Amino acid sequence: MFPLEVPLNYKTQPPWEFLLSASRNSLQSYELSRLSHAANLRKEITQLLDSWLEENTAAMLARWLMEEREHSAPAHESRERSAAKDEGVAALDPRGKTAHAASDNFFADRPGARPEFRSRS
């Protein structure tokens, strides 16, 4: 996504001989080039942080969905079985599970999650 343009062997020590012998204009030019480089690094860091946050958010969403499905699967299956017994015949997919349309709402069949309280030990 964002190519890292920082050289691997970046020198952190300023070129002292040049700086000590440089004219005012050369020092101003050097200062501006260093400020420009610092601004570019800051921009890259900001882009990397934004990407990192987006990726972590997507991963946490996936984890949350997996946990929600694990918690709701046993209750959901028992409700499906009782509904199938009431209706007499359930629509099954090839794996033997009750078929659902892609537009079914994942949260429609259950109330909001109860808060979990932890005791201090």
Side-chain angles (χ1 to χ4, degrees), residues 21-69:
S21 64
S23 67
R24 180 172 175 81
N25 287 341
S26 295
L27 289 173
Q28 286 175 337
S29 176
Y30 179 80
E31 177 191 27
L32 289 175
S33 72
R34 298 300 86 210
L35 289 173
S36 173
H37 187 246
N40 290 338
L41 288 173
R42 182 179 179 185
K43 192 183 301 182
E44 287 180 29
I45 289 170
T46 302
Q47 291 172 341
L48 286 171
L49 280 173
D50 287 345
S51 296
W52 176 72
L53 284 170
E54 288 176 12
E55 294 299 327
N56 273 326
T57 301
M60 289 188 325
L61 175 62
R63 169 58 51 193
W64 182 78
L65 287 171
M66 286 187 291
E67 289 174 357
E68 285 298 311
R69 288 179 183 171

Side-chain angles (χ1 to χ4, degrees), residues 100-119:
H100 292 285
S103 62
D104 286 349
N105 187 346
F106 180 75
F107 299 105
D109 60 337
R110 54 178 234 269
R114 293 182 211 142
E116 294 181 21
F117 296 101
R118 296 181 185 167
S119 61

Side-chain angles (χ1 to χ4, degrees), residues 3-23:
L4 191 59
E5 296 178 11
V6 178
L8 296 176
N9 296 326
Y10 183 73
K11 296 179 183 177
T12 57
Q13 292 293 321
W16 287 109
E17 290 181 28
F18 165 74
L19 293 174
L20 293 173
S21 64
S23 67

